[in-house]
PDB file of all heavy atoms in Angstrom:
ATOM      1  N   ILE A   1     -71.436  93.043  67.362  1.00  0.00           N
ATOM      2  CA  ILE A   1     -72.768  92.627  67.813  1.00  0.00           C
ATOM      3  C   ILE A   1     -72.752  91.142  68.145  1.00  0.00           C
ATOM      4  O   ILE A   1     -71.876  90.413  67.677  1.00  0.00           O
ATOM      5  CB  ILE A   1     -73.847  92.886  66.704  1.00  0.00           C
ATOM      6  CG1 ILE A   1     -73.350  92.367  65.345  1.00  0.00           C
ATOM      7  CG2 ILE A   1     -74.254  94.329  66.657  1.00  0.00           C
ATOM      8  CD1 ILE A   1     -74.359  92.459  64.240  1.00  0.00           C
ATOM      9  N   ARG A   2     -73.709  90.720  68.960  1.00  0.00           N
ATOM     10  CA  ARG A   2     -73.809  89.301  69.329  1.00  0.00           C
ATOM     11  C   ARG A   2     -75.158  88.771  68.852  1.00  0.00           C
ATOM     12  O   ARG A   2     -76.043  88.468  69.634  1.00  0.00           O
ATOM     13  CB  ARG A   2     -73.630  89.108  70.836  1.00  0.00           C
ATOM     14  CG  ARG A   2     -72.225  89.413  71.318  1.00  0.00           C
ATOM     15  CD  ARG A   2     -72.018  89.002  72.774  1.00  0.00           C
ATOM     16  NE  ARG A   2     -72.176  87.550  72.934  1.00  0.00           N
ATOM     17  CZ  ARG A   2     -73.022  86.998  73.763  1.00  0.00           C
ATOM     18  NH1 ARG A   2     -73.847  87.711  74.484  1.00  0.00           N
ATOM     19  NH2 ARG A   2     -73.102  85.665  73.861  1.00  0.00           N
ATOM     20  N   TYR A   3     -75.286  88.679  67.522  1.00  0.00           N
ATOM     21  CA  TYR A   3     -76.522  88.160  66.920  1.00  0.00           C
ATOM     22  C   TYR A   3     -76.349  86.700  66.561  1.00  0.00           C
ATOM     23  O   TYR A   3     -75.272  86.286  66.112  1.00  0.00           O
ATOM     24  CB  TYR A   3     -76.869  88.913  65.649  1.00  0.00           C
ATOM     25  CG  TYR A   3     -77.319  90.347  65.811  1.00  0.00           C
ATOM     26  CD1 TYR A   3     -77.597  91.146  64.697  1.00  0.00           C
ATOM     27  CD2 TYR A   3     -77.496  90.910  67.075  1.00  0.00           C
ATOM     28  CE1 TYR A   3     -78.011  92.457  64.844  1.00  0.00           C
ATOM     29  CE2 TYR A   3     -77.916  92.214  67.225  1.00  0.00           C
ATOM     30  CZ  TYR A   3     -78.174  92.990  66.098  1.00  0.00           C
ATOM     31  OH  TYR A   3     -78.583  94.290  66.245  1.00  0.00           O
ATOM     32  N   THR A   4     -77.394  85.913  66.752  1.00  0.00           N
ATOM     33  CA  THR A   4     -77.390  84.536  66.232  1.00  0.00           C
ATOM     34  C   THR A   4     -78.653  84.343  65.395  1.00  0.00           C
ATOM     35  O   THR A   4     -79.693  84.935  65.683  1.00  0.00           O
ATOM     36  CB  THR A   4     -77.373  83.485  67.361  1.00  0.00           C
ATOM     37  OG1 THR A   4     -78.498  83.683  68.203  1.00  0.00           O
ATOM     38  CG2 THR A   4     -76.091  83.564  68.159  1.00  0.00           C
ATOM     39  N   MET A   5     -78.546  83.506  64.366  1.00  0.00           N
ATOM     40  CA  MET A   5     -79.718  83.165  63.560  1.00  0.00           C
ATOM     41  C   MET A   5     -80.386  81.932  64.186  1.00  0.00           C
ATOM     42  O   MET A   5     -79.724  81.153  64.862  1.00  0.00           O
ATOM     43  CB  MET A   5     -79.287  82.846  62.130  1.00  0.00           C
ATOM     44  CG  MET A   5     -78.500  83.950  61.449  1.00  0.00           C
ATOM     45  SD  MET A   5     -79.390  85.506  61.279  1.00  0.00           S
ATOM     46  CE  MET A   5     -80.648  85.052  60.099  1.00  0.00           C
ATOM     47  N   THR A   6     -81.678  81.780  63.978  1.00  0.00           N
ATOM     48  CA  THR A   6     -82.365  80.599  64.522  1.00  0.00           C
ATOM     49  C   THR A   6     -81.859  79.351  63.812  1.00  0.00           C
ATOM     50  O   THR A   6     -81.481  79.379  62.654  1.00  0.00           O
ATOM     51  CB  THR A   6     -83.872  80.717  64.310  1.00  0.00           C
ATOM     52  OG1 THR A   6     -84.117  81.011  62.933  1.00  0.00           O
ATOM     53  CG2 THR A   6     -84.467  81.810  65.182  1.00  0.00           C
ATOM     54  N   SER A   7     -81.838  78.254  64.574  1.00  0.00           N
ATOM     55  CA  SER A   7     -81.286  77.012  64.023  1.00  0.00           C
ATOM     56  C   SER A   7     -82.290  76.323  63.090  1.00  0.00           C
ATOM     57  O   SER A   7     -83.460  76.674  63.068  1.00  0.00           O
ATOM     58  CB  SER A   7     -80.900  76.053  65.153  1.00  0.00           C
ATOM     59  OG  SER A   7     -82.059  75.763  65.913  1.00  0.00           O
ATOM     60  N   MET A   8     -81.799  75.344  62.338  1.00  0.00           N
ATOM     61  CA  MET A   8     -82.672  74.596  61.425  1.00  0.00           C
ATOM     62  C   MET A   8     -83.188  73.329  62.108  1.00  0.00           C
ATOM     63  O   MET A   8     -82.610  72.866  63.096  1.00  0.00           O
ATOM     64  CB  MET A   8     -81.946  74.274  60.141  1.00  0.00           C
ATOM     65  CG  MET A   8     -80.775  73.331  60.269  1.00  0.00           C
ATOM     66  SD  MET A   8     -79.671  73.442  58.868  1.00  0.00           S
ATOM     67  CE  MET A   8     -78.673  74.871  59.309  1.00  0.00           C
ATOM     68  N   ASN A   9     -84.242  72.781  61.581  1.00  0.00           N
ATOM     69  CA  ASN A   9     -84.842  71.561  62.136  1.00  0.00           C
ATOM     70  C   ASN A   9     -84.011  70.346  61.722  1.00  0.00           C
ATOM     71  O   ASN A   9     -83.774  70.136  60.542  1.00  0.00           O
ATOM     72  CB  ASN A   9     -86.263  71.431  61.605  1.00  0.00           C
ATOM     73  CG  ASN A   9     -86.949  70.189  62.144  1.00  0.00           C
ATOM     74  OD1 ASN A   9     -87.154  70.049  63.339  1.00  0.00           O
ATOM     75  ND2 ASN A   9     -87.305  69.271  61.255  1.00  0.00           N
ATOM     76  N   VAL A  10     -83.564  69.555  62.689  1.00  0.00           N
ATOM     77  CA  VAL A  10     -82.778  68.344  62.386  1.00  0.00           C
ATOM     78  C   VAL A  10     -83.555  67.132  62.850  1.00  0.00           C
ATOM     79  O   VAL A  10     -83.780  66.930  64.054  1.00  0.00           O
ATOM     80  CB  VAL A  10     -81.397  68.366  63.066  1.00  0.00           C
ATOM     81  CG1 VAL A  10     -80.619  67.094  62.766  1.00  0.00           C
ATOM     82  CG2 VAL A  10     -80.593  69.588  62.646  1.00  0.00           C
ATOM     83  N   PRO A  11     -84.038  66.286  61.913  1.00  0.00           N
ATOM     84  CA  PRO A  11     -84.804  65.094  62.323  1.00  0.00           C
ATOM     85  C   PRO A  11     -83.944  64.063  63.028  1.00  0.00           C
ATOM     86  O   PRO A  11     -82.727  64.011  62.803  1.00  0.00           O
ATOM     87  CB  PRO A  11     -85.339  64.551  60.990  1.00  0.00           C
ATOM     88  CG  PRO A  11     -84.479  65.142  59.926  1.00  0.00           C
ATOM     89  CD  PRO A  11     -83.907  66.419  60.466  1.00  0.00           C
ATOM     90  N   GLU A  12     -84.561  63.289  63.891  1.00  0.00           N
ATOM     91  CA  GLU A  12     -83.849  62.239  64.634  1.00  0.00           C
ATOM     92  C   GLU A  12     -83.602  61.035  63.729  1.00  0.00           C
ATOM     93  O   GLU A  12     -84.458  60.649  62.940  1.00  0.00           O
ATOM     94  CB  GLU A  12     -84.669  61.801  65.841  1.00  0.00           C
ATOM     95  CG  GLU A  12     -84.665  62.790  66.988  1.00  0.00           C
ATOM     96  CD  GLU A  12     -83.290  62.968  67.599  1.00  0.00           C
ATOM     97  OE1 GLU A  12     -82.641  61.962  67.915  1.00  0.00           O
ATOM     98  OE2 GLU A  12     -82.883  64.122  67.783  1.00  0.00           O
ATOM     99  N   PRO A  13     -82.411  60.388  63.840  1.00  0.00           N
ATOM    100  CA  PRO A  13     -82.154  59.178  63.056  1.00  0.00           C
ATOM    101  C   PRO A  13     -83.111  58.038  63.442  1.00  0.00           C
ATOM    102  O   PRO A  13     -83.580  57.989  64.565  1.00  0.00           O
ATOM    103  CB  PRO A  13     -80.714  58.792  63.459  1.00  0.00           C
ATOM    104  CG  PRO A  13     -80.137  60.004  64.097  1.00  0.00           C
ATOM    105  CD  PRO A  13     -81.285  60.758  64.682  1.00  0.00           C
ATOM    106  N   VAL A  14     -83.409  57.175  62.470  1.00  0.00           N
ATOM    107  CA  VAL A  14     -84.365  56.090  62.724  1.00  0.00           C
ATOM    108  C   VAL A  14     -83.737  54.691  62.594  1.00  0.00           C
ATOM    109  O   VAL A  14     -84.387  53.706  62.911  1.00  0.00           O
ATOM    110  CB  VAL A  14     -85.571  56.178  61.769  1.00  0.00           C
ATOM    111  CG1 VAL A  14     -86.376  57.427  62.014  1.00  0.00           C
ATOM    112  CG2 VAL A  14     -85.162  56.097  60.297  1.00  0.00           C
ATOM    113  N   MET A  15     -82.496  54.625  62.129  1.00  0.00           N
ATOM    114  CA  MET A  15     -81.904  53.310  61.900  1.00  0.00           C
ATOM    115  C   MET A  15     -80.416  53.308  62.283  1.00  0.00           C
ATOM    116  O   MET A  15     -79.756  54.335  62.172  1.00  0.00           O
ATOM    117  CB  MET A  15     -82.040  52.935  60.419  1.00  0.00           C
ATOM    118  CG  MET A  15     -81.630  51.526  60.110  1.00  0.00           C
ATOM    119  SD  MET A  15     -81.775  51.166  58.359  1.00  0.00           S
ATOM    120  CE  MET A  15     -83.532  51.147  58.200  1.00  0.00           C
ATOM    121  N   SER A  16     -79.944  52.181  62.745  1.00  0.00           N
ATOM    122  CA  SER A  16     -78.533  52.064  63.159  1.00  0.00           C
ATOM    123  C   SER A  16     -77.891  50.820  62.561  1.00  0.00           C
ATOM    124  O   SER A  16     -78.572  49.835  62.241  1.00  0.00           O
ATOM    125  CB  SER A  16     -78.426  51.990  64.678  1.00  0.00           C
ATOM    126  OG  SER A  16     -78.957  53.143  65.262  1.00  0.00           O
ATOM    127  N   LEU A  17     -76.561  50.900  62.403  1.00  0.00           N
ATOM    128  CA  LEU A  17     -75.758  49.763  61.937  1.00  0.00           C
ATOM    129  C   LEU A  17     -74.498  49.672  62.800  1.00  0.00           C
ATOM    130  O   LEU A  17     -73.958  50.704  63.219  1.00  0.00           O
ATOM    131  CB  LEU A  17     -75.289  49.991  60.500  1.00  0.00           C
ATOM    132  CG  LEU A  17     -76.250  49.822  59.326  1.00  0.00           C
ATOM    133  CD1 LEU A  17     -75.504  50.196  58.047  1.00  0.00           C
ATOM    134  CD2 LEU A  17     -76.761  48.412  59.222  1.00  0.00           C
ATOM    135  N   ALA A  18     -74.059  48.462  63.052  1.00  0.00           N
ATOM    136  CA  ALA A  18     -72.761  48.275  63.706  1.00  0.00           C
ATOM    137  C   ALA A  18     -71.696  48.171  62.618  1.00  0.00           C
ATOM    138  O   ALA A  18     -71.868  47.374  61.689  1.00  0.00           O
ATOM    139  CB  ALA A  18     -72.776  47.026  64.568  1.00  0.00           C
ATOM    140  N   VAL A  19     -70.651  48.977  62.694  1.00  0.00           N
ATOM    141  CA  VAL A  19     -69.582  48.920  61.680  1.00  0.00           C
ATOM    142  C   VAL A  19     -68.223  48.837  62.378  1.00  0.00           C
ATOM    143  O   VAL A  19     -68.029  49.396  63.444  1.00  0.00           O
ATOM    144  CB  VAL A  19     -69.584  50.165  60.745  1.00  0.00           C
ATOM    145  CG1 VAL A  19     -70.772  50.158  59.826  1.00  0.00           C
ATOM    146  CG2 VAL A  19     -69.521  51.464  61.508  1.00  0.00           C
ATOM    147  N   GLN A  20     -67.304  48.123  61.735  1.00  0.00           N
ATOM    148  CA  GLN A  20     -65.936  48.094  62.253  1.00  0.00           C
ATOM    149  C   GLN A  20     -64.973  47.809  61.098  1.00  0.00           C
ATOM    150  O   GLN A  20     -65.336  47.101  60.142  1.00  0.00           O
ATOM    151  CB  GLN A  20     -65.788  47.059  63.354  1.00  0.00           C
ATOM    152  CG  GLN A  20     -66.078  45.627  62.933  1.00  0.00           C
ATOM    153  CD  GLN A  20     -66.000  44.685  64.123  1.00  0.00           C
ATOM    154  OE1 GLN A  20     -66.709  44.882  65.103  1.00  0.00           O
ATOM    155  NE2 GLN A  20     -65.157  43.687  64.026  1.00  0.00           N
ATOM    156  N   PRO A  21     -63.781  48.401  61.151  1.00  0.00           N
ATOM    157  CA  PRO A  21     -62.827  48.170  60.067  1.00  0.00           C
ATOM    158  C   PRO A  21     -62.332  46.733  60.067  1.00  0.00           C
ATOM    159  O   PRO A  21     -62.167  46.107  61.123  1.00  0.00           O
ATOM    160  CB  PRO A  21     -61.691  49.162  60.393  1.00  0.00           C
ATOM    161  CG  PRO A  21     -61.809  49.449  61.839  1.00  0.00           C
ATOM    162  CD  PRO A  21     -63.243  49.267  62.208  1.00  0.00           C
ATOM    163  N   VAL A  22     -62.119  46.182  58.857  1.00  0.00           N
ATOM    164  CA  VAL A  22     -61.622  44.809  58.733  1.00  0.00           C
ATOM    165  C   VAL A  22     -60.213  44.714  59.305  1.00  0.00           C
ATOM    166  O   VAL A  22     -59.875  43.790  60.042  1.00  0.00           O
ATOM    167  CB  VAL A  22     -61.652  44.374  57.248  1.00  0.00           C
ATOM    168  CG1 VAL A  22     -60.996  43.009  57.071  1.00  0.00           C
ATOM    169  CG2 VAL A  22     -63.089  44.354  56.724  1.00  0.00           C
ATOM    170  N   SER A  23     -59.382  45.696  58.965  1.00  0.00           N
ATOM    171  CA  SER A  23     -57.998  45.704  59.434  1.00  0.00           C
ATOM    172  C   SER A  23     -57.842  46.650  60.623  1.00  0.00           C
ATOM    173  O   SER A  23     -58.344  47.783  60.601  1.00  0.00           O
ATOM    174  CB  SER A  23     -57.080  46.156  58.279  1.00  0.00           C
ATOM    175  OG  SER A  23     -55.815  46.502  58.780  1.00  0.00           O
ATOM    176  N   LYS A  24     -57.162  46.189  61.668  1.00  0.00           N
ATOM    177  CA  LYS A  24     -56.934  47.035  62.847  1.00  0.00           C
ATOM    178  C   LYS A  24     -56.030  48.225  62.515  1.00  0.00           C
ATOM    179  O   LYS A  24     -56.082  49.270  63.158  1.00  0.00           O
ATOM    180  CB  LYS A  24     -56.311  46.211  63.969  1.00  0.00           C
ATOM    181  CG  LYS A  24     -57.304  45.226  64.594  1.00  0.00           C
ATOM    182  CD  LYS A  24     -56.694  44.490  65.771  1.00  0.00           C
ATOM    183  CE  LYS A  24     -57.716  43.541  66.389  1.00  0.00           C
ATOM    184  NZ  LYS A  24     -57.156  42.762  67.500  1.00  0.00           N
ATOM    185  N   ASP A  25     -55.185  48.053  61.489  1.00  0.00           N
ATOM    186  CA  ASP A  25     -54.258  49.130  61.114  1.00  0.00           C
ATOM    187  C   ASP A  25     -54.994  50.351  60.543  1.00  0.00           C
ATOM    188  O   ASP A  25     -54.448  51.455  60.520  1.00  0.00           O
ATOM    189  CB  ASP A  25     -53.262  48.626  60.047  1.00  0.00           C
ATOM    190  CG  ASP A  25     -52.391  47.506  60.592  1.00  0.00           C
ATOM    191  OD1 ASP A  25     -52.282  47.419  61.838  1.00  0.00           O
ATOM    192  OD2 ASP A  25     -51.848  46.714  59.799  1.00  0.00           O
ATOM    193  N   SER A  26     -56.216  50.132  60.049  1.00  0.00           N
ATOM    194  CA  SER A  26     -56.946  51.247  59.419  1.00  0.00           C
ATOM    195  C   SER A  26     -57.869  51.952  60.402  1.00  0.00           C
ATOM    196  O   SER A  26     -58.725  52.754  60.003  1.00  0.00           O
ATOM    197  CB  SER A  26     -57.724  50.735  58.216  1.00  0.00           C
ATOM    198  OG  SER A  26     -58.568  49.673  58.605  1.00  0.00           O
ATOM    199  N   GLY A  27     -57.715  51.686  61.705  1.00  0.00           N
ATOM    200  CA  GLY A  27     -58.573  52.301  62.722  1.00  0.00           C
ATOM    201  C   GLY A  27     -58.514  53.814  62.720  1.00  0.00           C
ATOM    202  O   GLY A  27     -59.532  54.492  62.911  1.00  0.00           O
ATOM    203  N   GLY A  28     -57.327  54.377  62.481  1.00  0.00           N
ATOM    204  CA  GLY A  28     -57.165  55.846  62.464  1.00  0.00           C
ATOM    205  C   GLY A  28     -57.959  56.488  61.345  1.00  0.00           C
ATOM    206  O   GLY A  28     -58.674  57.478  61.570  1.00  0.00           O
ATOM    207  N   GLN A  29     -57.825  55.928  60.138  1.00  0.00           N
ATOM    208  CA  GLN A  29     -58.570  56.462  58.992  1.00  0.00           C
ATOM    209  C   GLN A  29     -60.061  56.281  59.164  1.00  0.00           C
ATOM    210  O   GLN A  29     -60.864  57.132  58.772  1.00  0.00           O
ATOM    211  CB  GLN A  29     -58.124  55.741  57.684  1.00  0.00           C
ATOM    212  CG  GLN A  29     -56.775  56.201  57.151  1.00  0.00           C
ATOM    213  CD  GLN A  29     -56.833  57.624  56.643  1.00  0.00           C
ATOM    214  OE1 GLN A  29     -56.579  58.572  57.373  1.00  0.00           O
ATOM    215  NE2 GLN A  29     -57.185  57.793  55.371  1.00  0.00           N
ATOM    216  N   PHE A  30     -60.451  55.149  59.776  1.00  0.00           N
ATOM    217  CA  PHE A  30     -61.857  54.860  60.029  1.00  0.00           C
ATOM    218  C   PHE A  30     -62.457  55.928  60.946  1.00  0.00           C
ATOM    219  O   PHE A  30     -63.531  56.483  60.676  1.00  0.00           O
ATOM    220  CB  PHE A  30     -61.975  53.465  60.664  1.00  0.00           C
ATOM    221  CG  PHE A  30     -63.377  53.025  60.976  1.00  0.00           C
ATOM    222  CD1 PHE A  30     -64.265  52.720  59.963  1.00  0.00           C
ATOM    223  CD2 PHE A  30     -63.792  52.891  62.295  1.00  0.00           C
ATOM    224  CE1 PHE A  30     -65.571  52.311  60.242  1.00  0.00           C
ATOM    225  CE2 PHE A  30     -65.086  52.486  62.588  1.00  0.00           C
ATOM    226  CZ  PHE A  30     -65.975  52.191  61.557  1.00  0.00           C
ATOM    227  N   SER A  31     -61.752  56.256  62.039  1.00  0.00           N
ATOM    228  CA  SER A  31     -62.223  57.288  62.979  1.00  0.00           C
ATOM    229  C   SER A  31     -62.281  58.646  62.311  1.00  0.00           C
ATOM    230  O   SER A  31     -63.213  59.423  62.538  1.00  0.00           O
ATOM    231  CB  SER A  31     -61.303  57.355  64.199  1.00  0.00           C
ATOM    232  OG  SER A  31     -61.298  56.130  64.876  1.00  0.00           O
ATOM    233  N   LYS A  32     -61.269  58.920  61.481  1.00  0.00           N
ATOM    234  CA  LYS A  32     -61.225  60.201  60.778  1.00  0.00           C
ATOM    235  C   LYS A  32     -62.436  60.370  59.863  1.00  0.00           C
ATOM    236  O   LYS A  32     -63.054  61.442  59.800  1.00  0.00           O
ATOM    237  CB  LYS A  32     -59.922  60.268  59.949  1.00  0.00           C
ATOM    238  CG  LYS A  32     -59.583  61.630  59.390  1.00  0.00           C
ATOM    239  CD  LYS A  32     -58.236  61.578  58.675  1.00  0.00           C
ATOM    240  CE  LYS A  32     -57.948  62.885  57.965  1.00  0.00           C
ATOM    241  NZ  LYS A  32     -56.695  62.818  57.186  1.00  0.00           N
ATOM    242  N   ALA A  33     -62.794  59.283  59.159  1.00  0.00           N
ATOM    243  CA  ALA A  33     -63.940  59.319  58.249  1.00  0.00           C
ATOM    244  C   ALA A  33     -65.226  59.573  59.036  1.00  0.00           C
ATOM    245  O   ALA A  33     -66.048  60.428  58.644  1.00  0.00           O
ATOM    246  CB  ALA A  33     -64.048  57.995  57.481  1.00  0.00           C
ATOM    247  N   LEU A  34     -65.413  58.837  60.139  1.00  0.00           N
ATOM    248  CA  LEU A  34     -66.651  58.998  60.912  1.00  0.00           C
ATOM    249  C   LEU A  34     -66.766  60.394  61.500  1.00  0.00           C
ATOM    250  O   LEU A  34     -67.842  60.996  61.519  1.00  0.00           O
ATOM    251  CB  LEU A  34     -66.714  57.941  62.025  1.00  0.00           C
ATOM    252  CG  LEU A  34     -66.842  56.481  61.579  1.00  0.00           C
ATOM    253  CD1 LEU A  34     -66.951  55.562  62.789  1.00  0.00           C
ATOM    254  CD2 LEU A  34     -68.073  56.291  60.699  1.00  0.00           C
ATOM    255  N   ASN A  35     -65.652  60.940  61.987  1.00  0.00           N
ATOM    256  CA  ASN A  35     -65.667  62.297  62.553  1.00  0.00           C
ATOM    257  C   ASN A  35     -66.043  63.318  61.495  1.00  0.00           C
ATOM    258  O   ASN A  35     -66.810  64.252  61.736  1.00  0.00           O
ATOM    259  CB  ASN A  35     -64.289  62.652  63.148  1.00  0.00           C
ATOM    260  CG  ASN A  35     -64.031  61.900  64.438  1.00  0.00           C
ATOM    261  OD1 ASN A  35     -64.967  61.488  65.116  1.00  0.00           O
ATOM    262  ND2 ASN A  35     -62.764  61.728  64.782  1.00  0.00           N
ATOM    263  N   ARG A  36     -65.471  63.141  60.294  1.00  0.00           N
ATOM    264  CA  ARG A  36     -65.764  64.077  59.200  1.00  0.00           C
ATOM    265  C   ARG A  36     -67.236  64.023  58.822  1.00  0.00           C
ATOM    266  O   ARG A  36     -67.912  65.046  58.714  1.00  0.00           O
ATOM    267  CB  ARG A  36     -64.896  63.747  57.999  1.00  0.00           C
ATOM    268  CG  ARG A  36     -65.312  64.529  56.743  1.00  0.00           C
ATOM    269  CD  ARG A  36     -64.718  63.939  55.493  1.00  0.00           C
ATOM    270  NE  ARG A  36     -65.458  64.377  54.332  1.00  0.00           N
ATOM    271  CZ  ARG A  36     -65.195  63.976  53.088  1.00  0.00           C
ATOM    272  NH1 ARG A  36     -64.242  63.119  52.874  1.00  0.00           N
ATOM    273  NH2 ARG A  36     -65.911  64.431  52.077  1.00  0.00           N
ATOM    274  N   PHE A  37     -67.772  62.812  58.607  1.00  0.00           N
ATOM    275  CA  PHE A  37     -69.163  62.675  58.162  1.00  0.00           C
ATOM    276  C   PHE A  37     -70.154  63.173  59.211  1.00  0.00           C
ATOM    277  O   PHE A  37     -71.174  63.754  58.881  1.00  0.00           O
ATOM    278  CB  PHE A  37     -69.478  61.211  57.805  1.00  0.00           C
ATOM    279  CG  PHE A  37     -68.666  60.684  56.651  1.00  0.00           C
ATOM    280  CD1 PHE A  37     -68.271  59.356  56.607  1.00  0.00           C
ATOM    281  CD2 PHE A  37     -68.286  61.522  55.608  1.00  0.00           C
ATOM    282  CE1 PHE A  37     -67.533  58.872  55.532  1.00  0.00           C
ATOM    283  CE2 PHE A  37     -67.547  61.038  54.524  1.00  0.00           C
ATOM    284  CZ  PHE A  37     -67.155  59.696  54.494  1.00  0.00           C
ATOM    285  N   GLN A  38     -69.799  62.967  60.490  1.00  0.00           N
ATOM    286  CA  GLN A  38     -70.662  63.407  61.573  1.00  0.00           C
ATOM    287  C   GLN A  38     -70.713  64.938  61.624  1.00  0.00           C
ATOM    288  O   GLN A  38     -71.774  65.521  61.896  1.00  0.00           O
ATOM    289  CB  GLN A  38     -70.154  62.857  62.900  1.00  0.00           C
ATOM    290  CG  GLN A  38     -71.173  62.898  64.009  1.00  0.00           C
ATOM    291  CD  GLN A  38     -70.699  62.194  65.259  1.00  0.00           C
ATOM    292  OE1 GLN A  38     -71.486  61.842  66.091  1.00  0.00           O
ATOM    293  NE2 GLN A  38     -69.406  61.985  65.401  1.00  0.00           N
ATOM    294  N   LYS A  39     -69.594  65.560  61.295  1.00  0.00           N
ATOM    295  CA  LYS A  39     -69.534  67.032  61.309  1.00  0.00           C
ATOM    296  C   LYS A  39     -70.305  67.609  60.119  1.00  0.00           C
ATOM    297  O   LYS A  39     -70.978  68.640  60.231  1.00  0.00           O
ATOM    298  CB  LYS A  39     -68.074  67.467  61.272  1.00  0.00           C
ATOM    299  CG  LYS A  39     -67.824  68.861  61.812  1.00  0.00           C
ATOM    300  CD  LYS A  39     -66.348  69.109  61.947  1.00  0.00           C
ATOM    301  CE  LYS A  39     -66.112  70.459  62.630  1.00  0.00           C
ATOM    302  NZ  LYS A  39     -64.702  70.767  62.741  1.00  0.00           N
ATOM    303  N   GLU A  40     -70.226  66.928  58.980  1.00  0.00           N
ATOM    304  CA  GLU A  40     -70.887  67.399  57.759  1.00  0.00           C
ATOM    305  C   GLU A  40     -72.397  67.235  57.806  1.00  0.00           C
ATOM    306  O   GLU A  40     -73.145  68.064  57.313  1.00  0.00           O
ATOM    307  CB  GLU A  40     -70.351  66.635  56.538  1.00  0.00           C
ATOM    308  CG  GLU A  40     -68.986  67.033  56.085  1.00  0.00           C
ATOM    309  CD  GLU A  40     -68.549  66.257  54.840  1.00  0.00           C
ATOM    310  OE1 GLU A  40     -69.338  65.483  54.282  1.00  0.00           O
ATOM    311  OE2 GLU A  40     -67.408  66.441  54.432  1.00  0.00           O
ATOM    312  N   ASP A  41     -72.836  66.103  58.391  1.00  0.00           N
ATOM    313  CA  ASP A  41     -74.266  65.731  58.309  1.00  0.00           C
ATOM    314  C   ASP A  41     -74.843  65.582  59.700  1.00  0.00           C
ATOM    315  O   ASP A  41     -74.568  64.617  60.405  1.00  0.00           O
ATOM    316  CB  ASP A  41     -74.372  64.412  57.537  1.00  0.00           C
ATOM    317  CG  ASP A  41     -75.813  63.951  57.330  1.00  0.00           C
ATOM    318  OD1 ASP A  41     -76.718  64.577  57.921  1.00  0.00           O
ATOM    319  OD2 ASP A  41     -76.037  62.996  56.574  1.00  0.00           O
ATOM    320  N   PRO A  42     -75.700  66.524  60.135  1.00  0.00           N
ATOM    321  CA  PRO A  42     -76.255  66.455  61.494  1.00  0.00           C
ATOM    322  C   PRO A  42     -77.166  65.249  61.728  1.00  0.00           C
ATOM    323  O   PRO A  42     -77.420  64.872  62.863  1.00  0.00           O
ATOM    324  CB  PRO A  42     -77.067  67.756  61.612  1.00  0.00           C
ATOM    325  CG  PRO A  42     -76.564  68.639  60.530  1.00  0.00           C
ATOM    326  CD  PRO A  42     -76.117  67.747  59.422  1.00  0.00           C
ATOM    327  N   THR A  43     -77.666  64.590  60.640  1.00  0.00           N
ATOM    328  CA  THR A  43     -78.519  63.419  60.841  1.00  0.00           C
ATOM    329  C   THR A  43     -77.714  62.127  60.907  1.00  0.00           C
ATOM    330  O   THR A  43     -78.289  61.058  61.133  1.00  0.00           O
ATOM    331  CB  THR A  43     -79.566  63.286  59.703  1.00  0.00           C
ATOM    332  OG1 THR A  43     -78.877  63.187  58.460  1.00  0.00           O
ATOM    333  CG2 THR A  43     -80.505  64.470  59.665  1.00  0.00           C
ATOM    334  N   PHE A  44     -76.419  62.214  60.706  1.00  0.00           N
ATOM    335  CA  PHE A  44     -75.546  61.043  60.800  1.00  0.00           C
ATOM    336  C   PHE A  44     -74.896  61.057  62.175  1.00  0.00           C
ATOM    337  O   PHE A  44     -74.148  61.984  62.511  1.00  0.00           O
ATOM    338  CB  PHE A  44     -74.493  61.086  59.687  1.00  0.00           C
ATOM    339  CG  PHE A  44     -73.514  59.921  59.708  1.00  0.00           C
ATOM    340  CD1 PHE A  44     -73.912  58.668  59.321  1.00  0.00           C
ATOM    341  CD2 PHE A  44     -72.208  60.115  60.135  1.00  0.00           C
ATOM    342  CE1 PHE A  44     -73.025  57.598  59.334  1.00  0.00           C
ATOM    343  CE2 PHE A  44     -71.304  59.047  60.153  1.00  0.00           C
ATOM    344  CZ  PHE A  44     -71.721  57.798  59.750  1.00  0.00           C
TER     345      PHE A  44
END
């Protein structure tokens, strides 16, 4: 069957911050963290 459930309500973000890693060598881990958190939390 091709059933889908209705989606949940996701509020729009209201605040922003500029962030950047102190060390350029940690850019990979930094991107990995942001990708993970964005996938876990629809409001982030």
Side-chain angles (χ1 to χ4, degrees):
I1 47 175
R2 292 190 63 237
Y3 290 176
T4 57
M5 304 299 292
T6 52
S7 61
M8 65 199 83
N9 180 63
V10 179
E12 285 295 311
V14 295
M15 188 181 290
S16 299
L17 285 177
V19 290
Q20 61 185 57
V22 174
S23 165
K24 288 184 179 178
D25 298 338
S26 54
Q29 284 291 92
F30 181 70
S31 299
K32 192 176 173 184
L34 294 182
N35 288 336
R36 170 196 161 183
F37 296 146
Q38 197 173 199
K39 203 170 185 182
E40 284 182 5
D41 183 350
T43 58
F44 179 73

